[in-house]
Amino acid sequence: MLLIHCPVCGEDRPETEFTYAGEAHIARPSNPDTLSDADWAQFLFYRTNPRGIHAERWRHTHGCGRFFNALRDSVSDKFIQTYPAGTPRPATAKPENAQ
Amino acid sequence: MADLSFNTVRTPDLDGFSTLHHADGLTTIRLADPADRLAIWCEDAARNDVATALGLALPDTLNSGTDTDNGCVLRVGPEEYLAIRRPARNDWHLLEQQDFGDKIVSLTDVSHRNIAFILDGPNAAWLIASGCPQDVRDPAFPVGKASRTLFGKAEIILWRTGHHRWVIEIWRSFAPYLADHLTAALNDPAIRRISD
């Protein structure tokens, strides 16, 4: 079973309690009217999809109910760190599989 | 304004669920008595006002419950609580209209929504572990801890009120599912173990 550390509860909880919620740190444009269709599409649909460390949002749906952010290695699927929503992305550690 | 003076009482369809006994002769699963339940959402600044309105203390720490003769309050989220009171007096819906000024508070009477199972005995934790993915051993789940989690596919609030005593709060409509699941666990030879 995959355990995820919820920074709000301060506990490692089973993965089934959580819901994935997309890439983190994507700011909604403050004035969408001024954006071109291409820029708006960029905000809506385009994601980094990195091979390696990915900052993503999770929600502790069947727990405290709060959103938080996580750094996860998209190669090994391992969670490197979780941190509260609204805080900046932590300095990235090396992926575990890095040479 | 809508007339809130009525109160709806509904009973779960459990096909005459009666207390279940484990083969160890000690562990039982029973339905808790009817209770008043209040879903509370309040910011920290309003905690004292809500506690006064309820006449119950709110837990200071997340994922814990207070248990008094007057009632219990479980803190299931940073700003989210579930208050339970037995015997039921069917008057908590009156609190829904209370004015808390500028403070952000939401009180909702959900007495009809939940029912509770009480698991009591040395094998209770094993029965819960049959469907709940959380670590229900000490020290991960100490006495007094309460947590929203899953049992099988149903969302529950799991509350440990004693070393061998657990309360499962569950939505009424999920109760037959949980009862079936617990009955199956009860008859599973692999779960006939005595924990210490």
Side-chain angles (χ1 to χ4, degrees):
Chain A
M1 183 196 297
L2 184 62
L3 294 176
I4 300 175
H5 183 84
C6 172
V8 181
C9 294
E11 293 176 27
D12 290 341
R13 293 291 192 89
E15 179 204 356
T16 47
E17 292 186 0
F18 295 86
T19 313
Y20 176 72
E23 187 173 346
H25 307 297
I26 295 177
R28 183 183 170 86
S30 56
N31 193 355
D33 287 349
T34 61
L35 260 56
S36 67
D37 285 355
D39 287 344
W40 184 241
Q42 193 69 33
F43 159 71
L44 278 184
F45 303 120
Y46 288 81
R47 297 295 179 258
T48 51
N49 191 25
R51 186 176 196 276
I53 294 180
H54 187 218
E56 52 198 19
R57 300 169 77 221
W58 284 79
R59 183 174 177 233
H60 196 181
T61 318
H62 302 293
C64 63
R66 287 303 176 98
F67 282 92
F68 59 92
N69 295 336
L71 291 180
R72 187 177 60 88
D73 190 325
S74 64
V75 177
S76 66
D77 273 350
K78 284 193 173 152
F79 280 82
I80 295 157
Q81 190 181 346
T82 57
Y83 52 102
T87 56
R89 176 177 172 149
T92 312
K94 268 192 169 179
E96 292 199 3
N97 59 335
Q99 296 297 314
Chain B
M1 181 168 283
D3 178 17
L4 297 175
S5 60
F6 67 90
N7 197 356
T8 311
V9 178
R10 299 187 180 102
T11 50
D13 176 17
L14 288 175
D15 292 331
F17 181 90
S18 58
T19 302
L20 301 169
H21 298 271
H22 190 268
D24 66 7
L26 298 168
T27 308
T28 58
I29 304 170
R30 64 185 173 85
L31 265 180
D33 294 333
D36 292 329
R37 291 179 178 85
L38 192 70
I40 302 165
W41 189 283
C42 78
E43 57 180 346
D44 283 348
R47 277 165 50 91
N48 289 339
D49 306 68
V50 173
T52 307
L54 270 179
L56 297 170
L58 303 186
D60 295 327
T61 48
L62 179 58
N63 293 324
S64 70
T66 56
D67 191 1
T68 68
D69 291 340
N70 295 327
C72 330
V73 185
L74 314 179
R75 188 167 192 176
V76 294
E79 288 155 354
E80 201 178 346
Y81 307 80
L82 178 71
I84 305 163
R85 183 178 63 185
R86 289 190 179 84
R89 284 185 234 156
N90 297 330
D91 62 357
W92 266 353
H93 60 280
L94 300 173
L95 287 175
E96 293 176 354
Q97 292 169 309
Q98 184 134 345
D99 184 13
F100 291 93
D102 293 338
K103 291 171 180 165
I104 301 171
V105 177
S106 169
L107 304 177
T108 308
D109 185 352
V110 293
S111 306
H112 63 283
R113 189 189 72 182
N114 282 29
I115 64 164
F117 289 89
I118 297 172
L119 284 74
D120 210 340
N123 273 310
W126 287 100
L127 293 172
I128 290 164
S130 73
C132 176
Q134 275 204 39
D135 185 353
V136 292
R137 298 169 298 181
D138 280 318
F141 213 115
V143 174
K145 180 173 173 179
S147 168
R148 185 159 46 201
T149 181
L150 290 165
F151 194 102
K153 299 209 174 212
E155 186 172 285
I156 62 167
I157 293 175
L158 183 61
W159 183 25
R160 189 173 189 184
T161 55
H163 187 56
H164 286 323
R165 191 180 157 94
W166 301 74
V167 175
I168 297 178
E169 280 279 334
I170 187 164
W171 283 20
R172 177 173 49 88
S173 54
F174 296 158
Y177 169 81
L178 181 68
D180 287 350
H181 206 315
L182 286 172
T183 306
L186 206 64
N187 296 320
D188 185 346
I191 298 175
R192 289 186 185 171
R193 296 179 59 176
I194 300 287
S195 52
D196 45 31

